[in-house]
């Protein structure tokens, strides 16, 4: 059977990938059944993302670059894929494990998301009896309470801190 001329390359138009994670492009040259699937790849900015001859993306730094996929059998047939490189996924949250407060006392919650080049955004969840607002924990009732710090990125890393022995001031 005679090979047909390619008329299109099918592939996602936009891709997001985190630093430290590789991604493989899987383009399809159409018509699929009777066309060579051989393509070449090039990056508009190798300082953001590199691409090898097999379509493997290798993120270098945070930013956006275009990857051009070109059919080897007809260089006029190409597809541009916009690649956004995001911060590295979090691996760990460091924070104090235990805090002792009196009812009404406040504590500035300090934490560190590692590695440092990952997104530093977290969500904080508190059990009843303690609240969190703008970085500050406040004790409202006596007891032992769990505070959960969770990353907002896809890593879903969690850290539990315990606020223990919140007690009332006695005169």
């Amino acid at each position: 059977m005679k090979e047909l001329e390619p008329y299109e390359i099918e592939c996602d138009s936009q891709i997001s990938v985190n630093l430290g994670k590789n991604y493989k492009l899987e383009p399809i040259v159409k018509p699929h059944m009777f066309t060579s699937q051989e393509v070449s790849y090039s990056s508009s900015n190798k300082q953001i993302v590199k691409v090898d001859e097999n379509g493997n993306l290798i993120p270098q730094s945070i930013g956006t670059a275009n990857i051009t996929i070109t059919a080897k059998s007809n260089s006029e047939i190409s597809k541009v894929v916009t690649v956004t490189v995001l911060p590295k996924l979090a691996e760990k949250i460091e924070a104090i494990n235990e805090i002792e407060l009196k009812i009404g006392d406040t504590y500035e919650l300090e934490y560190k998301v590692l590695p440092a080049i990952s997104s530093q955004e977290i969500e904080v969840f508190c059990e009843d009896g303690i609240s969190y607002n703008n970085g500050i924990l406040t004790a409202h009732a006596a007891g032992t309470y769990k505070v959960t710090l969770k990353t907002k990125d896809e890593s879903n890393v969690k850290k539990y801190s315990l606020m223990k022995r919140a007690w009332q001031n006695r005169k």
Side-chain angles (χ1 to χ4, degrees):
M1 184 135 248
K2 183 180 176 198
E3 197 169 279
L4 300 173
E5 282 291 314
Y7 62 84
E8 176 185 29
I9 296 176
E10 191 176 272
C11 192
D12 291 334
S13 296
Q14 296 185 332
I15 295 169
S16 294
V17 62
N18 294 87
L19 278 172
K21 299 283 184 183
N22 292 350
Y23 182 92
K24 182 169 176 41
L25 294 171
E26 297 186 11
I28 298 172
V29 180
K30 292 199 167 190
H32 185 303
M33 298 293 287
F34 306 105
T35 305
S36 167
Q37 294 298 303
E38 291 186 354
V39 294
S40 62
Y41 301 91
S42 64
S43 174
S44 66
N45 190 339
K46 292 177 183 171
Q47 293 168 341
I48 301 293
V49 63
K50 293 181 180 179
V51 61
D52 70 15
E53 66 277 355
N54 298 313
N56 295 305
L57 300 178
I58 304 107
Q60 302 296 305
S61 62
I62 297 169
T64 302
N66 291 323
I67 302 297
T68 302
I69 307 168
T70 305
K72 285 189 175 180
S73 61
N74 182 347
S75 62
E76 293 180 15
I77 305 300
S78 64
K79 170 81 175 189
V80 175
V81 178
T82 301
V83 177
T84 302
V85 179
L86 303 171
K88 189 170 185 170
L89 291 175
E91 296 171 8
K92 180 180 179 181
I93 299 174
E94 287 184 351
I96 194 161
N97 288 324
E98 292 186 10
I99 307 160
E100 290 190 25
L101 298 174
K102 296 176 184 163
I103 294 173
D105 281 356
T106 60
Y107 175 81
E108 184 175 351
L109 183 62
E110 295 178 7
Y111 64 89
K112 189 186 307 183
V113 180
L114 299 173
I117 61 171
S118 62
S119 170
Q120 298 293 303
E121 292 186 65
I122 66 162
E123 296 174 300
V124 177
F125 303 94
C126 299
E127 293 180 334
D128 289 342
I130 189 166
S131 63
Y132 178 81
N133 189 16
N134 294 324
I136 305 294
L137 290 170
T138 304
H140 299 290
T144 300
Y145 304 101
K146 182 167 70 173
V147 177
T148 304
L149 287 68
K150 180 182 169 295
T151 58
K152 285 188 175 183
D153 66 18
E154 297 171 14
S155 66
N156 207 26
V157 172
K158 292 181 183 176
K159 165 76 175 175
Y160 302 101
S161 291
L162 205 55
M163 193 200 82
K164 79 183 224 190
R165 288 183 284 174
W167 68 90
Q168 213 161 5
N169 273 339
R170 294 188 185 168
K171 293 184 180 184

